[in-house]
Short mmCIF file of all heavy atoms in Angstrom, two decimals:
data_model
loop_
_atom_site.label_atom_id
_atom_site.label_comp_id
_atom_site.label_asym_id
_atom_site.label_seq_id
_atom_site.Cartn_x
_atom_site.Cartn_y
_atom_site.Cartn_z
N MET A 269 0.82 -1.21 0.00
CA MET A 269 0.00 0.00 0.00
C MET A 269 0.86 1.27 0.00
O MET A 269 0.43 2.30 -0.44
CB MET A 269 -0.91 0.02 1.24
CG MET A 269 -1.95 -1.07 1.25
SD MET A 269 -3.15 -0.91 -0.08
CE MET A 269 -4.32 0.25 0.66
N ASN A 270 2.09 1.16 0.50
CA ASN A 270 2.90 2.36 0.60
C ASN A 270 3.78 2.62 -0.62
O ASN A 270 4.49 3.60 -0.68
CB ASN A 270 3.77 2.31 1.87
CG ASN A 270 4.68 1.09 1.87
OD1 ASN A 270 4.89 0.48 0.83
ND2 ASN A 270 5.19 0.75 3.03
N GLY A 271 3.74 1.73 -1.59
CA GLY A 271 4.44 1.96 -2.84
C GLY A 271 5.93 1.73 -2.79
O GLY A 271 6.64 2.05 -3.73
N THR A 272 6.41 1.15 -1.68
CA THR A 272 7.85 0.93 -1.59
C THR A 272 8.20 -0.55 -1.60
O THR A 272 9.32 -0.92 -1.30
CB THR A 272 8.43 1.56 -0.31
OG1 THR A 272 7.80 0.97 0.82
CG2 THR A 272 8.21 3.06 -0.31
N ASN A 273 7.25 -1.40 -1.94
CA ASN A 273 7.54 -2.82 -2.00
C ASN A 273 8.61 -3.11 -3.04
O ASN A 273 8.58 -2.58 -4.13
CB ASN A 273 6.28 -3.61 -2.35
CG ASN A 273 5.24 -3.53 -1.26
OD1 ASN A 273 5.55 -3.12 -0.14
ND2 ASN A 273 4.03 -3.91 -1.56
N LYS A 274 9.52 -3.98 -2.65
CA LYS A 274 10.60 -4.34 -3.57
C LYS A 274 10.42 -5.78 -4.02
O LYS A 274 9.97 -6.63 -3.27
CB LYS A 274 11.96 -4.16 -2.89
CG LYS A 274 12.27 -2.72 -2.62
CD LYS A 274 13.62 -2.59 -1.94
CE LYS A 274 13.92 -1.11 -1.66
NZ LYS A 274 15.17 -0.94 -0.91
N TYR A 275 10.84 -6.03 -5.23
CA TYR A 275 10.70 -7.36 -5.80
C TYR A 275 12.01 -7.81 -6.42
O TYR A 275 12.79 -7.00 -6.92
CB TYR A 275 9.64 -7.35 -6.91
CG TYR A 275 8.25 -7.17 -6.39
CD1 TYR A 275 7.79 -5.92 -6.04
CD2 TYR A 275 7.40 -8.26 -6.27
CE1 TYR A 275 6.50 -5.74 -5.56
CE2 TYR A 275 6.11 -8.09 -5.80
CZ TYR A 275 5.66 -6.83 -5.43
OH TYR A 275 4.40 -6.66 -4.95
N ILE A 276 12.21 -9.11 -6.34
CA ILE A 276 13.28 -9.73 -7.13
C ILE A 276 12.60 -10.33 -8.35
O ILE A 276 11.63 -11.08 -8.24
CB ILE A 276 13.99 -10.84 -6.33
CG1 ILE A 276 14.80 -10.23 -5.20
CG2 ILE A 276 14.89 -11.65 -7.26
CD1 ILE A 276 16.00 -9.42 -5.66
N VAL A 277 13.10 -9.97 -9.51
CA VAL A 277 12.50 -10.43 -10.75
C VAL A 277 13.50 -11.31 -11.50
O VAL A 277 14.62 -10.87 -11.78
CB VAL A 277 12.08 -9.24 -11.64
CG1 VAL A 277 11.38 -9.73 -12.90
CG2 VAL A 277 11.18 -8.30 -10.86
N ASN A 278 13.09 -12.52 -11.77
CA ASN A 278 13.93 -13.44 -12.54
C ASN A 278 13.44 -13.50 -13.97
O ASN A 278 12.28 -13.80 -14.23
CB ASN A 278 13.86 -14.85 -11.93
CG ASN A 278 14.48 -14.89 -10.55
OD1 ASN A 278 15.69 -14.93 -10.42
ND2 ASN A 278 13.64 -14.87 -9.53
N ILE A 279 14.32 -13.18 -14.88
CA ILE A 279 13.95 -13.15 -16.29
C ILE A 279 14.82 -14.14 -17.04
O ILE A 279 16.05 -14.09 -16.93
CB ILE A 279 14.15 -11.74 -16.89
CG1 ILE A 279 13.29 -10.74 -16.12
CG2 ILE A 279 13.82 -11.73 -18.37
CD1 ILE A 279 13.54 -9.29 -16.52
N GLU A 280 14.19 -15.04 -17.77
CA GLU A 280 14.95 -15.98 -18.59
C GLU A 280 14.56 -15.80 -20.04
O GLU A 280 13.38 -15.82 -20.39
CB GLU A 280 14.68 -17.42 -18.15
CG GLU A 280 15.50 -18.41 -18.97
CD GLU A 280 15.41 -19.83 -18.43
OE1 GLU A 280 14.79 -20.04 -17.36
OE2 GLU A 280 15.95 -20.73 -19.09
N CYS A 281 15.57 -15.61 -20.87
CA CYS A 281 15.33 -15.41 -22.30
C CYS A 281 14.95 -16.74 -22.95
O CYS A 281 15.63 -17.73 -22.77
CB CYS A 281 16.59 -14.85 -22.95
SG CYS A 281 16.44 -14.62 -24.72
N ASN A 282 13.87 -16.72 -23.70
CA ASN A 282 13.44 -17.94 -24.38
C ASN A 282 14.20 -18.18 -25.67
O ASN A 282 14.04 -19.22 -26.30
CB ASN A 282 11.93 -17.88 -24.67
CG ASN A 282 11.13 -18.17 -23.42
OD1 ASN A 282 11.64 -18.71 -22.44
ND2 ASN A 282 9.87 -17.79 -23.43
N GLN A 283 14.99 -17.22 -26.09
CA GLN A 283 15.73 -17.39 -27.34
C GLN A 283 17.14 -17.92 -27.10
O GLN A 283 17.58 -18.84 -27.76
CB GLN A 283 15.79 -16.07 -28.11
CG GLN A 283 14.43 -15.70 -28.70
CD GLN A 283 14.51 -14.55 -29.70
OE1 GLN A 283 15.59 -14.12 -30.09
NE2 GLN A 283 13.36 -14.06 -30.10
N CYS A 284 17.87 -17.33 -26.15
CA CYS A 284 19.26 -17.76 -25.94
C CYS A 284 19.48 -18.40 -24.58
O CYS A 284 20.55 -18.94 -24.33
CB CYS A 284 20.21 -16.59 -26.14
SG CYS A 284 20.16 -15.38 -24.81
N GLY A 285 18.49 -18.32 -23.68
CA GLY A 285 18.61 -18.96 -22.39
C GLY A 285 19.31 -18.13 -21.33
O GLY A 285 19.48 -18.58 -20.20
N GLU A 286 19.72 -16.92 -21.68
CA GLU A 286 20.37 -16.04 -20.71
C GLU A 286 19.40 -15.72 -19.57
O GLU A 286 18.21 -15.54 -19.80
CB GLU A 286 20.79 -14.74 -21.41
CG GLU A 286 21.62 -13.80 -20.55
CD GLU A 286 23.03 -14.32 -20.32
OE1 GLU A 286 23.59 -14.95 -21.22
OE2 GLU A 286 23.56 -14.07 -19.22
N ARG A 287 19.96 -15.63 -18.38
CA ARG A 287 19.11 -15.30 -17.22
C ARG A 287 19.55 -13.99 -16.60
O ARG A 287 20.72 -13.68 -16.52
CB ARG A 287 19.20 -16.41 -16.17
CG ARG A 287 18.51 -17.65 -16.60
CD ARG A 287 18.53 -18.67 -15.48
NE ARG A 287 17.96 -19.94 -15.95
CZ ARG A 287 17.82 -21.00 -15.18
NH1 ARG A 287 18.23 -20.96 -13.93
NH2 ARG A 287 17.30 -22.11 -15.65
N PHE A 288 18.57 -13.27 -16.14
CA PHE A 288 18.81 -11.99 -15.48
C PHE A 288 18.07 -11.98 -14.16
O PHE A 288 16.93 -12.44 -14.10
CB PHE A 288 18.30 -10.83 -16.35
CG PHE A 288 18.90 -10.81 -17.73
CD1 PHE A 288 18.30 -11.50 -18.76
CD2 PHE A 288 20.06 -10.09 -17.97
CE1 PHE A 288 18.86 -11.50 -20.03
CE2 PHE A 288 20.62 -10.08 -19.25
CZ PHE A 288 20.01 -10.78 -20.28
N VAL A 289 18.72 -11.48 -13.14
CA VAL A 289 18.06 -11.30 -11.85
C VAL A 289 18.11 -9.82 -11.51
O VAL A 289 19.18 -9.23 -11.41
CB VAL A 289 18.74 -12.11 -10.74
CG1 VAL A 289 18.02 -11.90 -9.41
CG2 VAL A 289 18.76 -13.59 -11.11
N LEU A 290 16.95 -9.23 -11.42
CA LEU A 290 16.86 -7.79 -11.26
C LEU A 290 16.03 -7.44 -10.04
O LEU A 290 15.17 -8.20 -9.61
CB LEU A 290 16.21 -7.16 -12.49
CG LEU A 290 16.93 -7.42 -13.82
CD1 LEU A 290 16.01 -7.06 -14.97
CD2 LEU A 290 18.19 -6.61 -13.89
N LYS A 291 16.29 -6.27 -9.52
CA LYS A 291 15.43 -5.75 -8.46
C LYS A 291 14.45 -4.77 -9.08
O LYS A 291 14.82 -3.99 -9.97
CB LYS A 291 16.27 -5.03 -7.40
CG LYS A 291 17.10 -5.98 -6.59
CD LYS A 291 17.99 -5.22 -5.63
CE LYS A 291 18.94 -6.18 -4.92
NZ LYS A 291 19.95 -5.46 -4.14
N GLY A 292 13.24 -4.82 -8.60
CA GLY A 292 12.24 -3.92 -9.15
C GLY A 292 11.33 -3.39 -8.08
O GLY A 292 11.31 -3.87 -6.95
N ARG A 293 10.58 -2.39 -8.45
CA ARG A 293 9.58 -1.82 -7.54
C ARG A 293 8.23 -1.79 -8.22
O ARG A 293 8.12 -1.56 -9.42
CB ARG A 293 9.96 -0.40 -7.16
CG ARG A 293 11.12 -0.36 -6.21
CD ARG A 293 11.30 1.00 -5.64
NE ARG A 293 12.38 0.99 -4.65
CZ ARG A 293 12.81 2.07 -4.02
NH1 ARG A 293 12.27 3.24 -4.28
NH2 ARG A 293 13.77 1.99 -3.14
N MET A 294 7.23 -2.00 -7.40
CA MET A 294 5.87 -1.98 -7.93
C MET A 294 5.45 -0.54 -8.20
O MET A 294 5.50 0.32 -7.32
CB MET A 294 4.92 -2.63 -6.91
CG MET A 294 3.51 -2.77 -7.40
SD MET A 294 3.34 -3.92 -8.76
CE MET A 294 3.40 -5.49 -7.90
N LYS A 295 5.08 -0.30 -9.44
CA LYS A 295 4.54 1.01 -9.78
C LYS A 295 3.30 0.83 -10.63
O LYS A 295 3.34 0.13 -11.65
CB LYS A 295 5.56 1.83 -10.58
CG LYS A 295 6.71 2.36 -9.75
CD LYS A 295 7.61 3.23 -10.61
CE LYS A 295 8.84 3.68 -9.81
NZ LYS A 295 9.79 4.40 -10.68
N LYS A 296 2.25 1.46 -10.21
CA LYS A 296 1.01 1.41 -10.98
C LYS A 296 0.60 -0.02 -11.33
O LYS A 296 0.22 -0.30 -12.45
CB LYS A 296 1.12 2.26 -12.25
CG LYS A 296 1.35 3.74 -11.95
CD LYS A 296 1.64 4.51 -13.21
CE LYS A 296 1.96 5.96 -12.86
NZ LYS A 296 2.46 6.71 -14.02
N GLY A 297 0.77 -0.90 -10.36
CA GLY A 297 0.28 -2.26 -10.55
C GLY A 297 1.21 -3.22 -11.26
O GLY A 297 0.87 -4.37 -11.45
N LYS A 298 2.39 -2.75 -11.66
CA LYS A 298 3.34 -3.70 -12.24
C LYS A 298 4.75 -3.40 -11.77
O LYS A 298 5.06 -2.28 -11.37
CB LYS A 298 3.26 -3.69 -13.77
CG LYS A 298 3.75 -2.42 -14.40
CD LYS A 298 3.79 -2.61 -15.92
CE LYS A 298 4.53 -1.46 -16.58
NZ LYS A 298 4.69 -1.70 -18.03
N VAL A 299 5.58 -4.44 -11.82
CA VAL A 299 6.94 -4.29 -11.33
C VAL A 299 7.83 -3.71 -12.41
O VAL A 299 7.92 -4.22 -13.51
CB VAL A 299 7.52 -5.65 -10.88
CG1 VAL A 299 8.95 -5.50 -10.42
CG2 VAL A 299 6.66 -6.22 -9.77
N GLU A 300 8.48 -2.62 -12.07
CA GLU A 300 9.41 -1.99 -13.01
C GLU A 300 10.84 -2.35 -12.65
O GLU A 300 11.27 -2.16 -11.52
CB GLU A 300 9.25 -0.47 -12.96
CG GLU A 300 7.97 0.01 -13.59
CD GLU A 300 7.98 1.51 -13.83
OE1 GLU A 300 8.93 2.19 -13.41
OE2 GLU A 300 7.05 1.99 -14.46
N THR A 301 11.57 -2.84 -13.61
CA THR A 301 12.97 -3.21 -13.39
C THR A 301 13.92 -2.40 -14.26
O THR A 301 15.12 -2.40 -14.03
CB THR A 301 13.21 -4.69 -13.74
OG1 THR A 301 12.91 -4.89 -15.12
CG2 THR A 301 12.33 -5.59 -12.90
N GLY A 302 13.40 -1.77 -15.29
CA GLY A 302 14.26 -1.08 -16.23
C GLY A 302 14.81 -2.00 -17.31
O GLY A 302 15.53 -1.56 -18.20
N PHE A 303 14.44 -3.28 -17.23
CA PHE A 303 14.91 -4.24 -18.22
C PHE A 303 14.29 -3.94 -19.58
O PHE A 303 13.09 -3.76 -19.69
CB PHE A 303 14.54 -5.65 -17.78
CG PHE A 303 15.06 -6.73 -18.70
CD1 PHE A 303 16.36 -7.19 -18.56
CD2 PHE A 303 14.25 -7.26 -19.68
CE1 PHE A 303 16.84 -8.19 -19.40
CE2 PHE A 303 14.72 -8.26 -20.52
CZ PHE A 303 16.02 -8.72 -20.39
N LYS A 304 15.13 -3.87 -20.60
CA LYS A 304 14.62 -3.54 -21.94
C LYS A 304 14.67 -4.74 -22.87
O LYS A 304 13.68 -5.10 -23.49
CB LYS A 304 15.44 -2.41 -22.56
CG LYS A 304 15.36 -1.10 -21.81
CD LYS A 304 14.06 -0.38 -22.12
CE LYS A 304 14.12 1.09 -21.74
NZ LYS A 304 14.50 1.33 -20.34
N LYS A 305 15.84 -5.33 -22.97
CA LYS A 305 15.97 -6.46 -23.88
C LYS A 305 17.17 -7.31 -23.50
O LYS A 305 18.04 -6.88 -22.75
CB LYS A 305 16.11 -5.99 -25.33
CG LYS A 305 17.36 -5.18 -25.57
CD LYS A 305 17.44 -4.76 -27.03
CE LYS A 305 18.72 -3.98 -27.27
NZ LYS A 305 18.84 -3.56 -28.68
N CYS A 306 17.19 -8.50 -24.08
CA CYS A 306 18.28 -9.43 -23.80
C CYS A 306 19.52 -9.06 -24.62
O CYS A 306 19.46 -8.26 -25.55
CB CYS A 306 17.83 -10.84 -24.15
SG CYS A 306 19.07 -12.09 -23.79
N LEU A 307 20.62 -9.71 -24.26
CA LEU A 307 21.87 -9.52 -25.01
C LEU A 307 21.71 -9.93 -26.47
O LEU A 307 22.41 -9.44 -27.35
CB LEU A 307 22.97 -10.37 -24.38
CG LEU A 307 23.28 -10.08 -22.91
CD1 LEU A 307 24.30 -11.07 -22.39
CD2 LEU A 307 23.78 -8.65 -22.74
N CYS A 308 20.77 -10.84 -26.73
CA CYS A 308 20.57 -11.34 -28.09
C CYS A 308 19.53 -10.51 -28.85
O CYS A 308 19.08 -10.91 -29.92
CB CYS A 308 20.15 -12.81 -28.06
SG CYS A 308 18.50 -13.10 -27.39
N ASP A 309 19.13 -9.37 -28.28
CA ASP A 309 18.17 -8.45 -28.89
C ASP A 309 16.72 -8.90 -28.79
O ASP A 309 15.83 -8.25 -29.31
CB ASP A 309 18.50 -8.17 -30.36
CG ASP A 309 19.59 -7.10 -30.47
OD1 ASP A 309 19.84 -6.41 -29.45
OD2 ASP A 309 20.18 -6.96 -31.55
N ASN A 310 16.49 -10.03 -28.15
CA ASN A 310 15.12 -10.46 -27.89
C ASN A 310 14.45 -9.46 -26.94
O ASN A 310 15.00 -9.10 -25.91
CB ASN A 310 15.16 -11.85 -27.25
CG ASN A 310 13.80 -12.28 -26.72
OD1 ASN A 310 12.78 -11.82 -27.19
ND2 ASN A 310 13.83 -13.18 -25.76
N GLN A 311 13.25 -9.01 -27.31
CA GLN A 311 12.53 -8.07 -26.45
C GLN A 311 11.19 -8.60 -25.96
O GLN A 311 10.50 -7.94 -25.19
CB GLN A 311 12.28 -6.76 -27.20
CG GLN A 311 13.55 -6.03 -27.59
CD GLN A 311 13.25 -4.70 -28.26
OE1 GLN A 311 12.42 -3.93 -27.80
NE2 GLN A 311 13.91 -4.45 -29.38
N ASP A 312 10.80 -9.75 -26.46
CA ASP A 312 9.43 -10.20 -26.19
C ASP A 312 9.30 -11.58 -25.54
O ASP A 312 8.35 -11.82 -24.83
CB ASP A 312 8.62 -10.23 -27.49
CG ASP A 312 8.62 -8.89 -28.18
OD1 ASP A 312 8.24 -7.90 -27.54
OD2 ASP A 312 9.03 -8.84 -29.35
N GLU A 313 10.25 -12.46 -25.82
CA GLU A 313 10.07 -13.86 -25.42
C GLU A 313 10.84 -14.16 -24.15
O GLU A 313 12.00 -14.53 -24.19
CB GLU A 313 10.54 -14.79 -26.55
CG GLU A 313 9.87 -14.54 -27.88
CD GLU A 313 8.43 -15.00 -27.88
OE1 GLU A 313 8.15 -16.04 -27.26
OE2 GLU A 313 7.60 -14.32 -28.48
N PHE A 314 10.16 -13.99 -23.02
CA PHE A 314 10.82 -14.24 -21.74
C PHE A 314 9.93 -15.05 -20.80
O PHE A 314 8.70 -14.94 -20.85
CB PHE A 314 11.14 -12.92 -21.04
CG PHE A 314 12.10 -12.05 -21.80
CD1 PHE A 314 11.63 -10.97 -22.53
CD2 PHE A 314 13.46 -12.32 -21.80
CE1 PHE A 314 12.51 -10.16 -23.24
CE2 PHE A 314 14.34 -11.51 -22.50
CZ PHE A 314 13.86 -10.43 -23.22
N ASP A 315 10.58 -15.84 -19.97
CA ASP A 315 9.90 -16.40 -18.80
C ASP A 315 10.24 -15.49 -17.63
O ASP A 315 11.40 -15.30 -17.31
CB ASP A 315 10.42 -17.82 -18.50
CG ASP A 315 9.71 -18.86 -19.34
OD1 ASP A 315 8.59 -18.58 -19.80
OD2 ASP A 315 10.28 -19.94 -19.52
N ILE A 316 9.23 -14.95 -17.02
CA ILE A 316 9.45 -14.00 -15.93
C ILE A 316 8.76 -14.47 -14.68
O ILE A 316 7.59 -14.85 -14.71
CB ILE A 316 8.91 -12.60 -16.32
CG1 ILE A 316 9.64 -12.09 -17.57
CG2 ILE A 316 9.10 -11.63 -15.16
CD1 ILE A 316 9.08 -10.77 -18.08
N SER A 317 9.51 -14.48 -13.57
CA SER A 317 8.88 -14.74 -12.28
C SER A 317 9.37 -13.70 -11.30
O SER A 317 10.46 -13.17 -11.43
CB SER A 317 9.22 -16.15 -11.79
OG SER A 317 10.61 -16.26 -11.56
N GLN A 318 8.54 -13.38 -10.35
CA GLN A 318 8.91 -12.34 -9.41
C GLN A 318 8.50 -12.73 -8.01
O GLN A 318 7.51 -13.41 -7.81
CB GLN A 318 8.29 -11.01 -9.80
CG GLN A 318 6.78 -11.03 -9.78
CD GLN A 318 6.19 -9.84 -10.53
OE1 GLN A 318 6.66 -9.44 -11.56
NE2 GLN A 318 5.12 -9.28 -9.99
N GLU A 319 9.29 -12.30 -7.05
CA GLU A 319 8.91 -12.55 -5.67
C GLU A 319 9.12 -11.29 -4.86
O GLU A 319 10.06 -10.54 -5.08
CB GLU A 319 9.71 -13.70 -5.08
CG GLU A 319 11.21 -13.55 -5.19
CD GLU A 319 11.91 -14.83 -4.75
OE1 GLU A 319 12.08 -14.97 -3.53
OE2 GLU A 319 12.27 -15.66 -5.59
N GLU A 320 8.20 -11.08 -3.95
CA GLU A 320 8.25 -9.87 -3.15
C GLU A 320 9.24 -10.02 -2.02
O GLU A 320 9.36 -11.08 -1.41
CB GLU A 320 6.85 -9.58 -2.59
CG GLU A 320 6.75 -8.24 -1.92
CD GLU A 320 5.31 -7.88 -1.59
OE1 GLU A 320 4.42 -8.71 -1.82
OE2 GLU A 320 5.09 -6.75 -1.11
N LEU A 321 9.98 -8.98 -1.74
CA LEU A 321 10.90 -8.95 -0.61
C LEU A 321 10.22 -8.30 0.58
O LEU A 321 9.61 -7.25 0.46
CB LEU A 321 12.14 -8.15 -0.96
CG LEU A 321 13.05 -8.71 -2.05
CD1 LEU A 321 14.18 -7.74 -2.30
CD2 LEU A 321 13.60 -10.06 -1.65
N PHE A 322 10.37 -8.96 1.72
CA PHE A 322 9.75 -8.40 2.92
C PHE A 322 10.79 -7.89 3.90
O PHE A 322 11.93 -8.30 3.84
CB PHE A 322 8.87 -9.45 3.61
CG PHE A 322 7.67 -9.81 2.79
CD1 PHE A 322 7.67 -10.95 2.02
CD2 PHE A 322 6.56 -8.98 2.78
CE1 PHE A 322 6.55 -11.28 1.26
CE2 PHE A 322 5.46 -9.30 2.02
CZ PHE A 322 5.45 -10.46 1.26
ZN1 ZN B 140 18.52 -13.78 -25.25
#
């Protein structure tokens, strides 16, 4: 409710298999990490999971 919840976001590229672990914050109902694209230029095909930090 206070807008400061932090999340760990795990992103796995479905094209090259690269994995990224990012920290994000919930804004306007979704977690923002600043992640744009993979090293292989993939921008759309990802497996994403996130967990809230308490
Ligand atoms: Zn990739």
Side-chain angles (χ1 to χ4, degrees):
M269 294 295 276
N270 58 18
T272 60
N273 293 346
K274 292 180 181 176
Y275 290 79
I276 290 292
V277 183
N278 294 282
I279 301 173
E280 182 172 355
C281 178
N282 283 343
Q283 288 191 9
C284 72
E286 187 72 35
R287 289 184 185 181
F288 303 89
V289 180
L290 301 166
K291 290 176 186 171
R293 287 191 176 176
M294 185 66 78
K295 286 184 185 174
K296 297 173 184 170
K298 68 173 191 174
V299 178
E300 288 194 354
T301 61
F303 184 84
K304 297 282 198 305
K305 64 179 181 180
C306 182
L307 301 175
C308 69
D309 279 344
N310 170 25
Q311 297 183 46
D312 304 304
E313 305 287 323
F314 298 102
D315 276 337
I316 300 175
S317 64
Q318 62 196 40
E319 54 187 277
E320 189 170 4
L321 294 177
F322 293 99

